Amino acid sequence: MDSAIIVAIITSCMALLGVIFTAVFNAVIARKNAKEAQRLTEETRQALDNAQTAKYEKHIEDGVQCLLRAEIIRSNEKYTARRYCPVYAKESLKRVYKAYHELGGNDVATHLYEECMELPERKENENEN
């Protein structure tokens, strides 16, 4: 066989191998990039879910704090009008205030709570047995 034909065959084979290698290499890189994109998408989705959950939980905490504050206000109005606060009401109010305070509440409700705690536990004219 003529050496020119052999060189042409070898050159063609080398070019074909180069095309095959490039195609395989590109497929491997594309697969790797797709997996990375999927991982990032899942991480992003998880981060968004976490952010939404945290936001939702914050709204629940704020709502519970508001309800606890309302209970402190209601109790203060009720018992200061009566001018006494029974021991059972004080115990309940202590639990309400503790939860309120642990949720970050610390404003006028603190003063109202303390005001209730200072009230006597019985009416002044109530008979003692």
Side-chain angles (χ1 to χ4, degrees):
M1 228 191 255
D2 191 358
S3 64
I5 295 174
I6 294 173
V7 171
I9 292 173
I10 292 174
T11 305
S12 297
C13 287
M14 293 299 286
L16 182 60
L17 287 174
V19 169
I20 291 171
F21 175 77
T22 303
V24 169
F25 181 75
N26 286 338
V28 168
I29 295 298
R31 180 177 289 160
K32 181 180 177 185
N33 288 342
K35 285 182 180 179
E36 180 67 13
Q38 182 180 5
R39 184 186 65 79
L40 290 174
T41 301
E42 289 172 3
E43 287 177 0
T44 302
R45 186 179 309 118
Q46 185 64 40
L48 287 173
D49 288 347
N50 290 345
Q52 288 174 339
T53 299
K55 186 177 178 182
Y56 181 75
E57 288 173 356
K58 177 64 175 145
H59 289 311
I60 290 173
E61 287 178 8
D62 290 347
V64 169
Q65 182 183 359
C66 184
L67 292 171
L68 293 169
R69 181 186 305 111
E71 179 58 22
I72 293 168
I73 293 168
R74 187 197 64 75
S75 293
N76 177 273
E77 289 174 351
K78 177 180 177 179
Y79 294 114
T80 55
R82 290 182 181 182
R83 296 190 181 137
Y84 76 98
C85 185
V87 67
Y88 67 85
K90 285 185 177 184
E91 288 302 315
S92 177
L93 194 53
K94 283 178 189 176
R95 286 192 296 272
V96 168
Y97 180 75
K98 181 178 184 244
Y100 169 76
H101 189 69
E102 287 179 0
L103 286 171
N106 193 14
D107 56 6
V108 175
T110 299
H111 173 73
L112 298 176
Y113 163 77
E114 291 169 351
E115 197 173 87
C116 282
M117 292 297 112
E118 292 173 2
L119 290 170
E121 294 175 357
R122 297 173 185 247
K123 286 184 184 178
E124 288 182 19
N125 60 0
E126 187 176 288
N127 294 333
E128 295 196 25
N129 297 328

